[in-house]
Amino acid sequence: MLNKPLVILISITVVLVAYLLMIQIKIGVPYWDVFNYLNNAFHFANMGSSGVVNHLPPLIPLLTSLFFRMGYVSVDVIFILSGLIFILGIIGLYLLLNERFDSTKSLTGSLIFISLPVVMAWAVSGGIDLPGVVFSIWALYFMVIGLKKDSKFLYLVLPLLVISILTRYTAGLIVLPMIFYILANFNQVKNIPQIKKVIFGIAIEFGVLLTIFTFFILQLDTSALFGLFFDIVTSSSSGVEDVAYNSNFLFYLQNSLNYISLGPIQGTYRQLLNPSEGIPSVLAYIITMISVIGIFSYIYRFLSTGKEKNISQVNIINLGKITIILVLFIGLVLSFYNKSLILSEIFLLALVYLSYRFMARERFEIDNKLALDLMFLSWFGAYFLFHGILPFKVDRYFITMAPAFTYFIVLGLSQFINELKPRINGLKSKSGLVYMAIALICLSVTTVTYIGHTPQKTFTLDIEDASQWIKGYDPNYYNKIIGSDYPNAVTWYLHKETTGAYLKYYNNTDEFADYLQENGVYYYFDSNKSHPTLKSYRIIKEFGVVAIYEKITP
C-alpha cells in the first residue's frame, strides 16, 4: 500500500536537494576537506596522484572516482553524490522514526531534521559527515526491524556498519546504541527462529567484511588518525595550535538553540556553515521550550505508572535502583570531565541499559518504546561524549548527533500535544495538521535563512579562475613549483602537486618570502583578501580575493 507521508517526504526532499545542488554548484566548494576527497578520487580513478591524503576515509572518494572514470571529472560530481546519499538518509530516518511514532510524526521529524541549519548547509557540500550518518541510520534501522520483524534484515547490519565506518571513521561509535538495543532485546534475540543459522551467517559476513576493511585500512596512512584517537582516549591531546581548538566540553549543548533555527534572515555564509557564530531565532526558543516541557511530562508520566502494591518493598528497591543510577551518572560526569573517553562510553552504556532494566514494565509495547528512547539517547550520548572530549570543535560535528537530537524534539512535541488534547476542543482530530504546520514552519524558516545567508560564490571559485588563467599565461606551469595557502584546491584545479605555504606561521613577510625562495616556489596563490608585498615576488593577476605572485627573475 502506498505510504503517502513517505511519498510527500521524498517529493519535498528531492525538490529541496535539487535547489541546494543548484546553489552549491553555483557558489562552489565550501571547505578545505572537499578538495582532499576530490584529489583522492582523482587518484582512485588512476588519473594522477597529486594531493593524495592517505589517511582520509575512502568511500566517498571511491564512489566519486567511478564517475571520473566515466569521463565526468568535475567538482559537481561530489555535490550530486552527496545529494543522492542525503535523500537516501531522509528515507531511512523516516522509516526508523516510524518504528516509534506514527507516520505523521515521522514525517514531521524527518522535515525537522532537514530544517536543522547545520544539516541543510552541509547536505550537498561534498563532506562526509552526513553520508556517515546516513549509513549509520540504515544500519540501525535494519537492526531494529531485524530483531522485531524479520531476522533476515540482520544480515544487512554489518555491511552497512562497515560502509558507514569507511565513510567516516567515527561512525563506528554507532555500535554503542546497537549494543544497547541488542542487550535490551536479548530475550527476543534468543527466540529468533534459526538463530544459530543467523549467527553463523553473520560470522561469515564478519570474516569477509573484516578482510575487506583491513585491505582498505592497509592502503591508507592511518598514523595521524590513530595518533589522534590515542591522544583522546589517553587524555594527552592538547591541540592548542589548531584553529578549531576548543576546550569547552559543553560546546554542542550550549549551541543547541543555534542548531534548531538561525536568525535573522540576513547573515553570512560562514554563520550558515557554523551556526554557533550566529544567533538563534525565536522559533528555536519556542521549539526548545515545547520539547523540554513535553519530555519532562513524558518522563513524569512514565515513572508514575505501574507502581508496586507493596510500598515498603518499592521504597527499598527504588532506593537501590536510584543509588546505582546516581553512581553511574556521577562516574559518567567525572570520566567525561577527566577526558577519559573509553570510561565515559562504558558508563553511558551501563547507565542506559540498567535504566531500561529498572524501568521496563514487562509489557512489550512500553518496553519497545523505552528501548528505542534509550537507544537514541545512547546515540546522542556516544557522540556528545566523543566530540565533547575531542579538543577540536566545529559545528558540522553536531551532524553526528542530529538524528537523535531530532528524535527527542519529536518526542517532546508529541507529548506536549498529547497533554493539550483534553484541554483544547478539536485538537485531537486536527493534531496531524498541527504537526505538519510545525514541520513546514521549521523548513520554511531555515530555507529562507539559507537563501539570506548564501553568497553568490565562495572564494574557491576565485582559485579555480586563477588556476585556469595560469594555464594560459604559462603553458610550462606544470614544470614549475607552485605554492599556495590553499594548496589542496590549487592541486585539484591544476592536477599538480602544490606546496603549502602559510604566512601566518612566520614573523614577517620577509621570512615568508625567504621560505618561498628556499623551496623554489615560482608562482604563489594567495587567498587572503589583503595581499602582502613579498620581496622578490610580484602580483601578476588578481581574481576576487585570490592573487597570483610570480617570482622576479633577474
Side-chain angles (χ1 to χ4, degrees):
M1 186 175 179
L2 189 65
N3 189 322
K4 290 183 179 179
L6 182 56
V7 172
I8 293 171
L9 176 63
I10 293 173
S11 301
I12 293 174
T13 306
V14 168
V15 171
L16 182 63
V17 166
Y19 170 75
L20 294 176
L21 279 173
M22 180 184 69
I23 297 297
Q24 197 71 63
I25 290 171
K26 182 181 73 172
I27 67 176
V29 175
Y31 81 120
W32 179 281
D33 284 350
V34 174
F35 287 110
N36 289 330
Y37 306 140
L38 289 166
N39 288 327
N40 282 9
F42 201 71
H43 171 64
F44 289 155
N46 292 322
M47 294 179 173
S49 58
S50 300
V52 174
V53 183
N54 285 327
H55 66 267
L56 294 176
L59 187 70
I60 295 301
L62 186 62
L63 293 177
T64 304
S65 73
L66 299 179
F67 292 90
F68 288 0
R69 288 176 181 272
M70 291 186 286
Y72 189 33
V73 182
S74 169
V75 169
D76 301 349
V77 170
I78 202 166
F79 296 155
I80 295 170
L81 183 61
S82 296
L84 293 175
I85 293 175
F86 182 69
I87 294 171
L88 181 66
I90 298 303
I91 296 171
L93 181 62
Y94 170 86
L95 295 174
L96 184 56
L97 291 176
N98 206 206
E99 293 301 312
R100 173 63 170 82
F101 306 108
D102 62 35
S103 57
T104 302
K105 295 173 186 174
S106 300
L107 173 60
T108 301
S110 301
L111 293 177
I112 289 176
F113 175 79
I114 297 172
S115 72
L116 298 181
V118 75
V119 171
M120 184 175 289
W122 293 98
V124 297
S125 66
I128 60 174
D129 301 276
L130 267 167
V133 168
V134 167
F135 295 121
S136 297
I137 287 172
W138 279 98
L140 271 179
Y141 172 67
F142 284 128
M143 186 192 67
V144 170
I145 64 173
L147 292 175
K148 288 173 56 180
K149 299 175 181 178
D150 189 341
S151 61
K152 291 179 182 178
F153 287 107
L154 294 174
Y155 292 117
L156 298 174
V157 175
L158 197 56
L160 282 164
L161 176 60
V162 171
I163 289 172
S164 66
I165 294 173
L166 291 175
T167 304
R168 189 178 191 270
Y169 294 133
T170 55
L173 287 170
I174 203 69
V175 298
L176 191 139
M178 283 182 168
I179 291 172
F180 162 74
Y181 196 78
I182 291 171
L183 291 175
N185 290 274
F186 192 70
N187 289 333
Q188 287 178 250
V189 173
K190 292 189 297 184
N191 294 328
I192 291 177
Q194 300 178 319
I195 184 62
K196 291 182 179 180
K197 181 180 178 181
V198 173
I199 293 175
F200 180 72
I202 293 175
I204 294 175
E205 263 189 352
F206 179 78
V208 174
L209 291 170
L210 181 62
T211 302
I212 297 173
F213 184 78
T214 303
F215 170 78
F216 274 109
I217 292 298
L218 290 176
Q219 306 305 307
L220 307 174
D221 177 13
T222 54
S223 57
L225 174 70
F226 290 133
L228 175 61
F229 181 76
F230 178 80
D231 286 344
I232 294 169
V233 299
T234 58
S235 307
S236 61
S237 176
S238 63
V240 176
E241 70 283 354
D242 194 283
V243 293
Y245 174 77
N246 189 324
S247 60
N248 182 2
F249 289 91
L250 302 179
F251 173 82
Y252 297 103
L253 187 62
Q254 291 173 358
N255 289 293
S256 56
L257 283 169
N258 300 59
Y259 298 137
I260 294 175
S261 178
L262 276 179
I265 293 174
Q266 294 299 319
T268 66
Y269 188 48
R270 183 177 176 84
Q271 290 173 340
L272 195 65
L273 296 175
N274 303 280
S276 63
E277 298 181 13
I279 59 173
S281 69
V282 174
L283 178 64
Y285 287 97
I286 295 173
I287 293 293
T288 300
M289 180 182 67
I290 293 174
S291 298
V292 169
I293 293 173
I295 288 172
F296 275 109
S297 172
Y298 172 76
I299 294 172
Y300 172 78
R301 291 201 176 271
F302 185 88
L303 294 178
S304 63
T305 58
K307 293 183 177 180
E308 305 287 344
K309 294 181 179 180
N310 190 330
I311 302 299
S312 60
Q313 184 181 2
V314 169
N315 288 338
I316 295 173
I317 293 174
N318 285 349
L319 181 61
K321 291 178 179 179
I322 292 171
T323 301
I324 292 172
I325 295 299
L326 283 176
V327 168
L328 289 173
F329 181 75
I330 292 171
L332 173 62
V333 172
L334 291 176
S335 60
F336 176 59
Y337 278 100
N338 279 284
K339 297 190 288 186
S340 179
L341 177 63
I342 294 177
L343 271 179
S344 297
E345 301 289 2
I346 291 173
F347 274 120
L348 174 64
L349 180 60
L351 184 62
V352 292
Y353 176 68
L354 289 180
S355 296
Y356 173 78
R357 285 302 171 199
F358 292 161
M359 290 189 291
R361 305 295 183 189
E362 303 301 331
R363 296 200 303 271
F364 176 75
E365 183 181 355
I366 293 180
D367 285 359
N368 185 52
K369 289 182 177 180
L370 179 60
L372 287 169
D373 294 342
L374 293 178
M375 182 188 78
F376 274 95
L377 179 62
S378 62
W379 180 345
F380 183 87
Y383 284 98
F384 180 80
L385 294 173
F386 176 79
H387 288 299
I389 293 173
L390 190 73
F392 319 113
K393 308 285 193 301
V394 291
D395 290 288
R396 60 187 172 85
Y397 291 167
F398 184 80
I399 292 172
T400 60
M401 309 169 226
F405 186 70
T406 303
Y407 178 93
F408 289 107
I409 290 177
V410 177
L411 181 61
L413 288 174
S414 174
Q415 186 63 31
F416 184 84
I417 292 174
N418 285 340
E419 294 289 346
L420 292 180
K421 283 179 181 179
R423 297 173 174 82
I424 301 177
N425 293 331
L427 180 59
K428 186 174 182 180
S429 60
K430 298 179 180 178
S431 60
L433 296 176
V434 174
Y435 285 111
M436 284 306 303
I438 293 172
L440 292 176
I441 289 172
C442 290
L443 190 61
S444 300
V445 168
T446 303
T447 303
V448 171
T449 303
Y450 180 88
I451 295 171
H453 286 60
T454 305
Q456 294 300 310
K457 66 175 183 177
T458 62
F459 75 94
T460 58
L461 289 184
D462 294 333
I463 296 178
E464 180 182 10
D465 292 339
S467 300
Q468 297 304 323
W469 181 85
I470 202 70
K471 293 177 182 179
Y473 175 78
D474 184 357
N476 196 38
Y477 77 93
Y478 202 86
N479 295 318
K480 295 176 180 177
I481 296 176
I482 296 176
S484 176
D485 60 349
Y486 218 86
N488 50 355
V490 179
T491 295
W492 162 252
Y493 289 120
L494 294 180
H495 298 311
K496 166 185 165 51
E497 196 72 45
T498 303
T499 301
Y502 311 94
L503 176 60
K504 63 182 179 181
Y505 295 143
Y506 295 86
N507 295 321
N508 53 59
T509 57
D510 285 348
E511 283 188 10
F512 181 61
D514 289 339
Y515 166 80
L516 295 178
Q517 291 188 66
E518 289 169 3
N519 286 272
V521 174
Y522 193 84
Y523 294 112
Y524 174 67
F525 287 61
D526 179 50
S527 66
N528 292 307
K529 291 182 179 179
S530 57
H531 309 297
T533 300
L534 299 177
K535 68 178 183 180
S536 301
Y537 287 87
R538 64 187 178 95
I539 295 177
I540 55 173
K541 192 69 174 178
E542 293 186 39
F543 295 88
V545 300
V546 175
I548 303 176
Y549 290 77
E550 181 181 28
K551 185 177 181 179
I552 300 174
T553 55

